[in-house]
Amino acid sequence: MEPRLSIGILCHPTYGGSGVIASELALSLAGRGHAVHLFSHRVPPRLARSPGPVTMHRSQGLPYPLFSSTPHDLATTSNILRVHRSEGLDLLHAHYALPHAVSAVLAQSAAGADSSLKPPAVITTLHGTDVTIVGSDPSYAPLTQYLIEASDVATAVSNSLAAQTRAHFCLAANRGCDIEVVPNFVDTDRFRPHAGDPSEGASSIHPQPHAVHVSNFRAVKRVPWLIEAFGRATEGTDATLTLVGDGPDQQQAFQRARELGLERRVCFLGERDALPELLAPADVFLLTSREESFGLSALEAMSCGTPVVATAVGGVPEVVLDGETGLLASPDDQVAYAAKLKGLLFDRPRARSMGHAARKSVLDRFSRDRIVSQYEALYRRVLARREQANTCEKGG
Ligand code: GMT
């Protein structure tokens, strides 16, 4: 039997995306018998709603007048060292390069300076804007490049993001170019067709065509553009759209819906935990991002048997198979996007058949068990490699 590992996971406490993946991974690894510690400056919502045996370490830096802002990341590093000294962590898995890979690499280096401690391995998972927007900005690019190289292994959530990472950071041949692709995953038991429907799908709870979108309402998601496209596709009909989530563009989106006279057909729900119950009854899930390394909310919708109409950007075509599990359009062509949406939203048999294909594709390619096993195998490979390097060093 493989030995039980002691694992530290670092993440942003976000409602979606990397915060969800890190929390679900932590819970799954704990469910497999590993000792799992999660480090973040708040409890991520997906962890908070679970009773799973993950030890949460909330980093609270000391506010002090000398600091321009409270350095919670330094408190995270300190927390890791405290746990490492008392329990011995085998590895640190940083989700989103900044600032978590900094904390992980620094903790590894500090542990290495103490001969009584065995430094933990560092795995960094790149999620998207940590490479494309934040990490590539001149203010952070050299540090991001260093972190990718300094990690024992860096992973990316799609082939597209791996290629972008290589293009941004791996022009010179260095060991940081070794980027593995480990895609995101979904809990297919929770995100399932007919979730929350007591009659298990005997009839849809939305008699009229119904679309749904879930996001953090950041500019990159283009929610006002999505509302315009929905307006074009559904003019003169009683089709409805539910928007789930919250973020910087929410007011602008609300305003756009009002300007277009859609306020009675577009419903803003804000952040909700009941995502499967909101995704499963929809005819179509909409995604209109300008860039997207993966599109976890689209995957969650597909797992509920809801097909996706999305912009063909970044890693989205790896998740949504055009013509099979959804439809893709150029991010620069709202007319084409609206035409594809119209073609699917008002053709329930077609939407249902694509929804079945979407569910099957998720079960075949992105199930939680499959991807957590991929991470577990990666951890063991990295640890074996470090062990071997250590033995060689000692042997002369
Ligand atoms: O970058 C963001 O805006 C948030 C980020 C995150 O940390 O959640 O989202 C990225 O990671 C998700 C999880 O891997 C992916 O599903 C999203 O596609 C990705 N967002 C972008 O690339 C814009």
Side-chain angles (χ1 to χ4, degrees), residues 75-369:
T76 300
T77 313
S78 252
N79 254 344
I80 295 171
L81 283 171
R82 184 177 47 74
V83 174
H84 187 55
R85 281 181 187 136
S86 64
E87 304 198 15
L89 292 163
D90 293 306
L91 64 100
L92 295 166
H93 188 169
H95 288 264
Y96 205 90
L98 292 175
H100 301 122
V102 179
S103 299
V105 166
L106 184 55
Q108 182 189 55
S109 150
D114 181 338
S115 58
S116 67
L117 295 174
K118 187 168 164 192
V122 172
I123 287 114
T124 296
T125 288
L126 304 165
H127 278 274
T129 50
D130 47 353
V131 168
T132 57
I133 298 178
V134 179
S136 307
D137 187 83
S139 55
Y140 296 125
L143 178 59
T144 305
Q145 169 152 21
Y146 169 72
L147 294 169
I148 292 170
E149 289 174 17
S151 301
D152 288 277
V153 72
T155 77
V157 297
S158 62
N159 290 308
S160 155
L161 183 62
Q164 277 179 294
T165 308
R166 288 185 198 107
H168 279 303
F169 298 117
C170 306
L171 291 175
N174 53 29
R175 69 187 183 94
C177 290
D178 187 15
I179 291 160
E180 293 209 18
V181 175
V182 183
N184 288 330
F185 60 92
V186 58
D187 175 352
T188 52
D189 295 331
R190 183 165 173 249
F191 287 84
R192 62 184 175 85
H194 314 303
D197 178 355
S199 58
E200 285 291 307
S203 66
S204 166
I205 60 163
H206 295 283
Q208 70 281 47
H210 177 66
V212 66
H213 167 76
V214 182
S215 78
N216 51 25
F217 283 60
R218 295 212 195 119
V220 74
K221 305 285 174 182
R222 304 196 304 172
V223 183
W225 194 97
L226 183 150
I227 291 171
E228 286 164 19
F230 175 79
R232 267 181 202 270
T234 62
E235 204 175 347
T237 74
D238 57 0
T240 54
L241 167 66
T242 294
L243 298 163
V244 185
D246 202 349
D249 276 3
Q250 206 202 32
Q251 274 314 310
Q252 201 195 332
F254 191 68
Q255 180 70 21
R256 199 74 197 106
R258 283 236 306 246
E259 286 162 5
L260 295 171
L262 293 170
E263 62 268 45
R264 287 207 348 268
R265 293 199 288 119
V266 178
C267 174
F268 290 78
L269 290 187
E271 287 186 359
R272 297 297 169 104
D273 277 342
L275 292 178
E277 294 79 0
L278 288 163
L279 293 169
D283 295 293
V284 177
F285 179 88
L286 308 187
L287 188 68
T288 56
S289 306
R290 159 69 49 202
E291 58 180 70
E292 197 74 67
S293 68
F294 186 89
L296 183 62
S297 53
L299 185 73
E300 291 178 336
M302 289 166 61
S303 185
C304 292
T306 302
V308 175
V309 178
T311 41
V313 294
V316 173
E318 296 170 46
V319 180
V320 181
L321 306 176
D322 193 18
E324 201 180 309
T325 64
L327 298 172
L328 299 178
S330 157
D332 301 317
D333 192 345
Q334 195 180 78
V335 173
Y337 183 96
K340 295 202 173 191
L341 170 56
K342 191 172 179 178
L344 199 56
L345 188 60
F346 296 101
D347 186 346
R348 230 169 215 166
R350 186 177 177 220
R352 286 213 175 113
S353 135
M354 276 195 175
H356 285 306
R359 169 79 181 169
K360 183 174 179 323
S361 169
V362 173
L363 290 170
D364 290 348
R365 303 190 296 147
F366 302 109
S367 73
R368 183 177 53 179
D369 261 11

Side-chain angles (χ1 to χ4, degrees), residues 47-66:
L47 184 69
R49 64 178 291 284
S50 159
V54 170
T55 309
M56 176 71 213
H57 302 272
R58 200 165 147 255
S59 312
Q60 274 295 300
L62 174 75
Y64 193 69
L66 269 184

